Amino acid sequence: MEGQAHTHPTYGHVVFAHMKQLVSNLNKKNYKVSVGELSQLIEVYGHDVHVFLLRLLISHVDLKAAKTTQDQTHARLQLLSQELGTAVTKFNFVSLINQAFDDVQLSEDFCGGLAKLLKLSFAQHLALGVALSQSREVALQAHGTNTVRLLVSDCTPPNLQTVPRAVLPALIGLVRAHPSLSKDRPRLLTLLQTAFPLSSLEPTLLPLLYPDTPP
């Protein structure tokens, strides 16, 4: 999986090979320098390189070895947590995450296990589920929607207020449209409106959360 990525052929092979080396050798001592170098590569080459890094880090995740104390494993998990946290703040977070998880064989509670392993916040865990719910892969769609459903009980206004603005359109769309959320839909929409009153929202989000409000 880790070799799969699509980018410009004039730099792809060299950049990806270097990233593989940085991730393979990542440890506590070289963490700051290596992560700085990886960040520079993402800044220069953009989306495809970010996707490749996420895929590379996900390929190293072993939920069964969650209690490992190996320095390299801990460093990779720390970086994956950091990168997922960054990804869900971007307006292209859906494509970033779905491309990163493409072809990954997910166990029934992979997202829950990953969230626990990486110590993801409520907002990051929810965003991961929302993104996967929009995957072109049916299995990933179901996995993402189920993740959101499992987090419904935690959807308090204070928790929802921590959700990045980039995630809100996809989250609201999922709540409004997905059949599996029909039972919880009225309550979730009320909670979202409590968390994000009219006065706090950008004009682009108003018709999504308050469709009956005049423009």
Side-chain angles (χ1 to χ4, degrees):
M1 182 190 79
E2 64 185 57
Q4 296 176 7
H6 303 285
T7 189
H8 199 287
T10 58
Y11 67 76
H13 177 73
V14 174
V15 170
F16 293 153
H18 185 49
M19 292 177 74
K20 284 183 182 181
Q21 184 179 34
L22 287 171
V23 170
S24 294
N25 296 329
L26 192 64
N27 58 50
K28 185 177 181 180
K29 290 182 179 179
N30 65 24
Y31 186 87
K32 186 174 182 179
V33 173
S34 297
V35 171
E37 194 167 344
L38 288 165
S39 297
Q40 285 185 330
L41 290 172
I42 292 172
E43 186 176 346
V44 172
Y45 297 110
H47 179 86
D48 286 340
V49 168
H50 199 180
V51 168
F52 184 78
L53 176 59
L54 286 168
R55 289 174 67 82
L56 193 58
L57 292 167
I58 291 167
S59 73
H60 285 283
V61 171
D62 182 0
L63 295 182
K64 294 179 181 179
K67 295 182 180 180
T68 182
T69 56
Q70 292 182 14
D71 185 32
Q72 284 188 313
T73 300
H74 178 75
R76 292 180 193 131
L77 291 174
Q78 183 180 345
L79 180 55
L80 178 56
S81 178
Q82 176 182 311
E83 289 304 319
L84 282 176
T86 298
V88 300
T89 65
K90 296 180 177 291
F91 284 96
N92 64 339
F93 84 100
V94 169
S95 61
L96 260 177
I97 290 176
N98 278 307
Q99 288 178 42
F101 279 86
D102 190 30
D103 296 329
V104 175
Q105 297 299 313
L106 302 184
S107 59
E108 185 175 348
D109 190 34
F110 181 87
C111 285
L114 186 66
K116 184 180 293 186
L117 180 60
L118 301 181
K119 299 179 181 178
L120 297 183
S121 66
F122 163 81
Q124 292 167 342
H125 192 183
L126 182 67
L128 180 60
V130 169
L132 292 178
S133 75
Q134 298 194 30
S135 170
R136 291 176 293 182
E137 300 288 334
V138 175
L140 284 178
Q141 282 181 19
H143 199 86
T145 305
N146 189 52
T147 296
V148 174
R149 286 179 59 248
L150 290 172
L151 289 171
V152 164
S153 61
D154 295 323
C155 288
T156 63
N159 278 345
L160 288 169
Q161 286 171 348
T162 66
V163 175
R165 283 297 208 265
V167 177
L168 285 181
L171 173 60
I172 295 167
L174 182 68
V175 169
R176 286 196 178 281
H178 204 280
S180 71
L181 294 173
S182 59
K183 181 180 177 181
D184 297 299
R185 184 171 298 132
R187 186 171 71 87
L188 285 173
L189 288 173
T190 298
L191 288 168
L192 281 163
Q193 289 176 344
T194 302
F196 302 100
L198 271 166
S199 59
S200 72
L201 286 180
E202 305 90 310
T204 54
L205 291 173
L206 286 175
L208 299 176
L209 193 52
Y210 297 92
D212 298 326
T213 301

